Amino acid sequence: MRISDLITQEILRMLNESNENTAEIQRNEFASGIGCAPSQINYVLSSRFTPEHGYIIESRRGGGGYIRISRVVMSNSSALMHIINSIGDTIDTMSARALIENCRHSEIIDNKMAKLMYAALSNNVMRTVPVILQDTLRAAVLKEMLLVQI
């Protein structure tokens, strides 16, 4: 298992055990406990615990500093509207797949819808569209597919 996966797994464990959907860590101590560099903690937080993934990160620097990770709990409709608004005018294949996987993992969409979205947004489907337009079309189709879930 990769170190970033271990860090993610530990933070998710802490969040799941919390009654408030919040985990507080001191970066250096947390990194030492996992056996990694503190910069690896930053990488995981900035790539896997973003607002688009449903998390808010707060930090306080200094001697008693901490990083607080909070899981945002909202209705599926609110979450979908937030996701749709965050997509923008274009989205590449990997970002679309990550977004769909996060929606599936958060139970905003079911496995059947996730498979349908993967298929509809695949490079195989987009190959008949000029490359310069593929990410724009992918974003428009993804937004529409998410809108019908509301």
Side-chain angles (χ1 to χ4, degrees):
M1 183 180 287
R2 296 184 329 216
I3 194 74
S4 56
D5 293 332
L6 287 171
I7 295 166
T8 301
Q9 188 176 49
E10 181 60 19
I11 292 171
L12 288 174
R13 183 194 62 75
M14 293 169 71
L15 286 167
N16 290 335
E17 290 178 358
S18 168
N19 291 334
E20 289 110 32
N21 285 310
T22 300
E24 281 189 15
I25 61 172
Q26 290 189 314
R27 191 179 68 135
N28 290 338
E29 289 177 17
F30 188 72
S32 177
I34 296 226
C36 67
S39 62
Q40 290 174 298
I41 305 296
N42 289 349
Y43 168 75
V44 170
L45 291 175
S46 66
S47 63
R48 299 186 183 188
F49 292 90
T50 64
E52 292 79 22
H53 291 111
Y55 298 94
I56 297 172
I57 305 292
E58 302 171 61
S59 64
R60 192 180 92 195
R61 301 195 186 279
Y66 62 84
I67 299 172
R68 179 180 296 137
I69 304 109
S70 301
R71 183 182 292 144
V72 178
V73 180
M74 59 177 78
S75 71
N76 281 358
S77 294
S78 295
L80 279 167
M81 287 309 299
H82 175 74
I83 292 164
I84 291 164
N85 289 330
S86 72
I87 292 172
D89 294 332
T90 65
I91 190 166
D92 61 48
T93 304
M94 293 305 293
S95 297
R97 290 187 69 80
L99 190 145
I100 294 165
E101 183 58 25
N102 289 330
C103 288
R104 191 198 58 74
H105 181 71
S106 301
E107 298 179 354
I108 294 171
I109 60 172
D110 60 21
N111 288 336
K112 186 175 180 179
M113 179 54 73
K115 287 179 184 179
L116 180 63
M117 289 177 159
Y118 288 141
L121 302 171
S122 71
N123 284 332
N124 191 38
V125 170
M126 297 291 169
R127 73 172 185 248
T128 60
V129 177
V131 174
I132 196 163
L133 300 175
Q134 288 180 3
D135 291 348
T136 303
L137 177 60
R138 187 176 289 111
V141 171
L142 179 56
K143 286 178 188 179
E144 288 299 318
M145 294 181 90
L146 290 170
L147 274 172
V148 299
Q149 297 299 302
I150 295 176

